[in-house]
Amino acid sequence: MHLSGVILLLTYAMPPAWALDAYGAAPVGDPSADIPPFVIVAALLSHCVGFHMLVQIPSGLLGTRLALSRGGLTTYAASLAIAGALTASALPVALRMESLGDLMGLWADFMIRGSLGLAGYVWMARRSRVIATES
């Protein structure tokens, strides 16, 4: 799980569009800005940690458990399907969004970032299983 979390954190090197918009609206030297820049960075980190704990870890564990005797692509597909369902159910509740267009944009952003981390987790889980059977 640490590998998927690190990969997810690295995907935030390219911040989401909402963070770039908020950062552009909050100049560093303006004390009257609605959101200070450090709050935007804190929000990015909390999104990363929240997504990792609520979606990525359960979907990685459940996907690899359900597709235990299957191939790596089947395990990855099962993990992605579970992650997609968890993300679709958690986003409207967590962010109280009502616009379907904004919700789909955020869902796609989270799924792209999460899919890279899940690929790392599935690869590591498959690799450790192969090493264990060779011993």
Side-chain angles (χ1 to χ4, degrees), residues 44-131:
L44 282 175
L45 289 176
S46 69
H47 278 195
C48 181
V49 169
F51 182 79
H52 184 61
M53 291 178 64
L54 293 175
V55 174
Q56 212 175 22
I57 291 174
S59 63
L61 291 173
L62 190 59
T64 54
R65 187 67 152 154
L66 290 175
L68 191 61
S69 61
R70 310 250 194 281
L73 286 177
T74 305
T75 304
Y76 182 62
S79 297
L80 275 182
I82 294 166
L86 286 174
T87 304
S89 63
L91 271 179
V93 173
L95 300 178
R96 295 186 182 105
M97 298 186 71
E98 297 188 13
S99 170
L100 186 61
D102 291 340
L103 184 68
M104 289 305 294
L106 273 177
W107 180 84
D109 182 66
F110 275 119
M111 287 306 299
I112 289 169
R113 293 173 194 281
S115 66
L116 297 172
L118 280 174
Y121 174 74
V122 168
W123 175 79
M124 183 66 78
R126 300 286 301 167
R127 184 73 187 138
S128 66
R129 196 172 305 132
V130 168
I131 291 172

